[in-house]
Structure formats: C-alpha cells, structure tokens
Amino acid sequence: MALAQIGVTGLAVMGRNLARNFARNGFTVAVHNRSPQKMHSLIEDHGSEGEFIGCESLQDFVDALAQPRTIVVMVQAGGPTDAVIDALVPLLDKGDIIVDAGNAHFPDTRRREAALREQGIHFVGAGVSGGEEGALLGPSIMPGGPAESYETLGPILEKIAAKAEDGTPCCTHVGPDGAGHFVKMVHNGIEYADMQLIGEAYSLLREGLNLSPKEIGDIFADWNTGDLDSFLIEVTAEVLKQTDAKTGKPLVDVIVDEAGQKGTGRWTVQSALDLGAPVTGIAEATFARAISSQRAQREAAREVLAANASDFHIKDRAGFIEDVRLALYASKVVAYAQGFDQIQAASDEYGWDINRGDMAKIWREGCIIRARFLDRITEAYERDADLATLLVDPYFADAVAGGLSAWRRVVSQAALAGVPAPAFSSSLSYYDSLRAERLPAAVIQGQRDFFGAHTYKRVDAEGTFHTLWSGDRTEVEA
Ligand code: NAP
C-alpha cells in the first residue's frame, strides 16, 4: 500500500473535515483518533471521497506516513495537545513535522517548538480559521514554525486552503515559532471587535428608529453589497431575519443577551497589554461580552441607575441609517488598524519579521473576518509595507474622513440617548487621540513627578527634569 503524504490525528469536527479536505485534494491521508470510532465513522461516511488509511494505534499511524512525516494534530488545545505530542515524539524521526492546527495559546507553541527543535523535530503551530465548513471547503491557514518546514508543508496546506478571488491561496508562512498562532489569536480578537461593532450598529438602528430585527437584517443585507461586504455582516443579516418557530418572535429577541467566549479575545488583550499595543476596539469588545454576562449586577443596576437620557429625535431616517453605516466602517478601520499594530509589535518583540500585507492577503477568504475590506488593507500594505498605522494610508484616511461627521453624530446621539456603544465611541476616541496635537499625558507626567519623582521631559530642551514639589518648586535636571 502507498504511504500517506499527510496524517491527521484528532478527528472531531475540525480534524475530520480537514482530513476530508486533504483527501478531496488528492492526498493520501492517514487518519487516527484516540478513540477509534471517530476514525471508523470517517472512513465509513466519507471513505469514497479520496484515499484514507485508517489507523487504530499511533504506531500504525506513524508507520503509514511517508518520510519525512507530516502530521496534523487537531485535538483540544492545552493539556490534550501536549499529551498527543508526548505520545507521538518517541515514534518519530529527525526531520519529521508536527503541525498543531488547534487553537493553542502562542506561548505554549513557543515552548513546544523550542523543546521539539532540540530533538530535531519541526513543530509548526498553525492557526486555522473558518470553522467546520472552512476546514472542509478551504480555511485560512496561518502556519508558523521553522521556515524550512514550509518547503514540505507549504504546498500541501496551500492546496487545501481557501483561494482569494485572484487565485492566491489563503495560507503563507507567517514567521518562526509561535507567530502563526499569535496571528490567529489577533484574527480572533479582531473578530470580537467586528462582531461588537455590528452589534452596536444593530442597537442604534433598533433604538434610534424603532426598526424590527427583520428590517435591520434587510439593511445589513443591503450594506453587504458595498464597502462593508463581509461574512460577519452577511451572517448577522441572516440571524436578524430568523423567526423563532416556538414563539413567532424574532429569534434574536428570545436569545439570552449574554455573550460567551472561549478565551482568544482575552488572550489578545492580555498580550496587547504586555506589548503596550492599544487595541481599544478588541478590549472594549471583550469587556462588553464580560459585562453582558454579569447578570446579577445588571439586574441590580437596572433597578437603581438613572438614565437622564433623551429619546432619539431622528427626522431623517435614511440619513441616520447612512450615518450608522459610516460610523461602523470608520470604527472597523480603527479596530483592524489596531490589530495590525499589535501584530507588528509582537513581530518586533519576538523577532518574527511578519509581513502585515501578507496577513491581510490570507484573511481575504476562508476565515471568519473575510471581507472585501481586506482587499483594501492588502492594497494599503502594497503601497507601503511600513505604514505607521493603516489610518494614514491615503485610501483609509480619506474613507474615515468622509464618514467622520457621521461618526461623531452617531457617538453623541448614542451618549445622549443612553444607548451603550463602547466600541464605536472608544474607536472615535482612539482616532482623536492619534490626531491630537497635545494629549493630557503631560498632566499625567506632572502628577507622576509630583508624587513619585518620576521626572519628565521638556518640549524645549534635551534631558530629564524634576520639580522640587515639596521644596521650593524649582526645577532640577535629573
Ligand atoms: P475538540 O472538541 O476541541 O477536541 C476533541 C478532539 O480532541 C477529539 O478528537 C478527542 O479525542 C481529542 N482529544 C481530547 N483529549 C485528548 C487526549 N488527551 N489525547 C488524545 N486526543 C484527545 O475538537 P474540535 O472542535 O474539532 O477542535 C479541534 C481543535 O481545533 C481545537 O484546538 C479547537 O480549538 C480548534 N479549532 C476549532 C474550531 C471550531 O470551529 N470548532 C475552529 C478553529 C480551530 P476523542 O474522540 O478520543 O475524545
């Protein structure tokens, strides 16, 4: 029997579909799962889609693979991933490649890569986005790990990845060790921000214009034909148009308003704090999910907290809808700009040399944040690979400027009406902070010097200074 070109261990929803994707693309795939039923059911249900080699034991699995072996591990992140790697490694040879395609936290990937490198095994942490359907039909793949492993792995992954409209595979070597999982993490963080912004647009249209979810769904479907064209807008339109079969109400009205999270948003924000990367949109989105889940606190507050809000008085309904669309677009540009800044900050910190334009390219299809917008980001980095921020690219600077008055109107209307719009408003504050001539940071430096002698710099002289606050308040050079 011919040996397999690739192996997949871990055949739950993701691994099963990835294995099918490999087989459908002409690869012979060795398949293994801790409990063999999942392996048997894959072959029973889909064996006709291509060449599978079913393996009951890890030893059979390893023996079924051509050398150097390429093994995709698709199991639960954390301990289970370590358990599988520990069981595999004694069976492997130098030069073999292990690809962790699960949602690992990037410091774990760095640790695993360093440990396996010592044993001569290539360890590739690969972010895979697109959910179950993406895994089967073409995900966006973000592999990290040693560059030389990509020579073997690249052509295989590129074959099964989604393809952008211009035919480019949505897969590229991101950078060494944990770079792939890092970029996938930020992708998910941006996804949090995007979802929150869309949620806020929904709230504003609902509260401001008294529209039904279905009517808002129709507006989103219309937006999906323009600049905002994206998977997330499309999905939102579908959700809003759905009627609950039990009650006849809009489905969104019978769903409990507590947003769950699996942790990638939190990881993104934690890393951003470490890197000093101000991803305010992602942070607001992550905290907004946390607030939504504070049920007892929300109930207590609802009884007590005053609103002192005025109703929306919107005469120009079409104008308001357009304002919300423009505010959403501008806030979205900010959220993506911040995510790309965080990638750059990590790339500098860890020496990954990540090409941000390539990241925009591989997110154009296959992944959850796929959008027409990513073509614009790709073009922006093609114009200038070293952009200080996406916001200064001429296309985005103009696009945001065009919607700026609308953005300010929407944020102030939301504040006056007492409708929470944390991501819209923090994005606008971020934008204004970037363009401000002077920030109140000078006051903070004064405060710090007053109570902690932390010193400050002057605008008109080199050096570091301290005022003798508890003395005669003269300034000394520190
Ligand atoms: P999952 O529910 O996260 O994991 C189940 C798989 O892990 C099963 O194959 C299970 O084997 C195996 N497993 C668990 N503990 C194990 C251990 N100690 N030793 C060996 N195998 C073990 O599966 P999933 O939803 O398909 O996700 C797989 C990975 O992809 C995860 O890291 C997930 O975060 C990531 N991911 C998921 C999605 C998604 O949309 N679901 C999207 C992107 C990435 P048994 O069958 O024997 O229990």
Side-chain angles (χ1 to χ4, degrees):
M1 188 172 50
L3 291 173
Q5 292 137 294
I6 186 124
V8 179
T9 179
L11 300 173
V13 284
M14 290 296 287
R16 178 183 172 98
N17 279 356
L18 262 191
R20 290 174 62 197
N21 190 348
F22 284 123
R24 287 165 164 212
N25 276 288
F27 298 104
T28 302
V29 196
V31 284
H32 170 267
N33 193 68
R34 175 178 62 176
S35 42
Q37 310 90 284
K38 285 197 177 82
M39 178 274 289
H40 290 302
S41 88
L42 164 61
I43 292 183
E44 241 168 71
D45 298 345
H46 303 290
S48 60
E49 291 179 2
E51 296 295 326
F52 294 98
I53 305 176
C55 309
E56 294 224 347
S57 72
L58 264 189
Q59 186 64 62
D60 289 350
F61 178 63
V62 167
D63 291 343
L65 286 157
Q67 287 178 300
R69 301 177 184 91
T70 306
I71 296 175
V72 176
V73 177
M74 202 42 159
V75 300
Q76 231 168 304
T81 303
D82 280 318
V84 172
I85 294 169
D86 290 348
L88 267 175
V89 166
L91 312 178
L92 299 182
D93 294 303
K94 283 192 168 44
D96 287 348
I97 303 171
I98 297 180
V99 183
D100 173 15
N103 261 343
H105 195 193
F106 78 96
D108 287 338
T109 305
R110 302 190 79 209
R111 165 179 62 77
R112 289 172 184 142
E113 196 277 330
L116 293 190
R117 195 187 323 141
E118 299 229 317
Q119 305 188 51
I121 290 172
H122 298 294
F123 183 74
V124 174
V128 176
S129 177
E132 232 181 291
E133 192 182 279
L136 180 63
L137 303 176
S140 168
I141 312 178
M142 296 149 250
E148 72 178 286
S149 66
Y150 198 75
E151 285 166 27
T152 312
L153 193 58
I156 305 176
L157 295 184
E158 288 181 13
K159 191 107 192 261
I160 66 148
K163 307 290 177 298
E165 228 167 60
D166 62 7
T168 319
C170 292
C171 173
T172 191
H173 181 241
V174 174
D177 64 78
H181 275 140
F182 183 89
V183 163
K184 170 64 176 16
M185 176 191 80
V186 176
H187 163 284
N188 284 26
I190 292 174
E191 180 183 315
Y192 272 53
D194 211 340
M195 291 167 74
Q196 174 67 22
L197 290 167
I198 294 170
E200 291 178 18
Y202 156 80
S203 274
L204 287 159
L205 293 175
R206 187 129 195 216
E207 303 278 334
L209 298 177
N210 233 336
L211 293 174
S212 70
K214 185 179 172 312
E215 288 169 318
I216 301 171
D218 289 336
I219 292 172
F220 283 2
D222 178 46
W223 288 357
N224 203 38
T225 60
D227 291 341
L228 283 168
D229 173 357
S230 63
F231 175 68
L232 284 171
I233 290 276
E234 180 191 327
V235 165
T236 313
E238 294 298 320
V239 170
L240 293 178
K241 288 195 253 179
Q242 182 74 14
T243 302
D244 174 44
K246 283 195 197 114
T247 59
K249 292 181 180 170
L251 179 69
V252 73
D253 285 351
V254 298
I255 296 180
V256 175
D257 59 343
E258 285 178 43
Q261 48 182 317
K262 281 197 187 160
T264 40
R266 175 165 38 90
W267 288 347
T268 311
V269 179
Q270 284 168 340
S271 142
L273 291 172
D274 290 339
L275 293 164
V279 291
T280 57
I282 300 171
E284 288 295 352
T286 308
F287 287 132
R289 290 195 190 191
I291 293 172
S292 78
S293 303
Q294 302 288 341
R295 195 151 199 80
Q297 212 175 44
R298 287 174 62 195
E299 262 166 34
R302 203 175 295 136
E303 306 283 310
V304 178
L305 300 192
N308 279 18
S310 45
D311 290 340
F312 282 97
H313 292 294
I314 294 160
K315 292 195 194 88
D316 178 3
R317 293 172 71 85
F320 182 72
I321 295 170
E322 180 60 4
D323 274 4
V324 173
R325 188 186 74 80
L326 290 166
L328 173 57
Y329 190 76
S331 305
K332 193 171 150 141
V333 176
V334 165
Y336 279 67
Q338 293 175 340
F340 279 92
D341 286 351
Q342 183 173 358
I343 290 174
Q344 187 59 49
S347 180
D348 294 343
E349 172 74 17
Y350 301 114
W352 285 337
D353 201 19
I354 297 176
N355 181 322
R356 290 172 296 175
D358 284 351
M359 299 308 104
K361 266 190 195 156
I362 65 172
W363 290 346
R364 287 181 296 174
E365 285 297 335
C367 64
I368 303 295
I369 63 171
R370 61 185 180 263
R372 185 190 291 194
F373 183 69
L374 281 153
D375 283 323
R376 304 289 87 80
I377 300 182
T378 303
E379 289 157 11
Y381 283 116
E382 274 167 4
R383 278 190 285 275
D384 179 0
D386 299 319
L387 268 180
T389 158
L390 262 187
L391 287 160
V392 301
D393 168 74
Y395 172 83
F396 285 114
D398 276 0
V400 173
L404 194 51
S405 308
W407 197 7
R408 294 196 190 288
R409 274 194 298 275
V410 167
V411 168
S412 27
Q413 278 166 313
L416 289 171
V419 174
F424 269 40
S425 47
S426 81
S427 305
L428 180 56
S429 288
Y430 174 86
Y431 177 87
D432 281 330
S433 297
L434 278 192
R435 49 165 286 282
E437 190 70 40
R438 296 272 297 159
L439 289 172
V443 178
I444 291 164
Q445 284 299 82
Q447 294 162 337
R448 294 178 72 240
D449 191 56
F450 187 101
F451 63 68
H454 292 301
T455 73
Y456 51 86
K457 293 192 189 309
R458 295 184 56 97
V459 295
D460 55 0
E462 290 294 312
T464 306
F465 300 90
H466 167 59
T467 290
L468 301 169
W469 295 104
S470 44
D472 64 1
R473 301 208 166 181
T474 53
E475 185 178 75
V476 292
E477 202 154 347

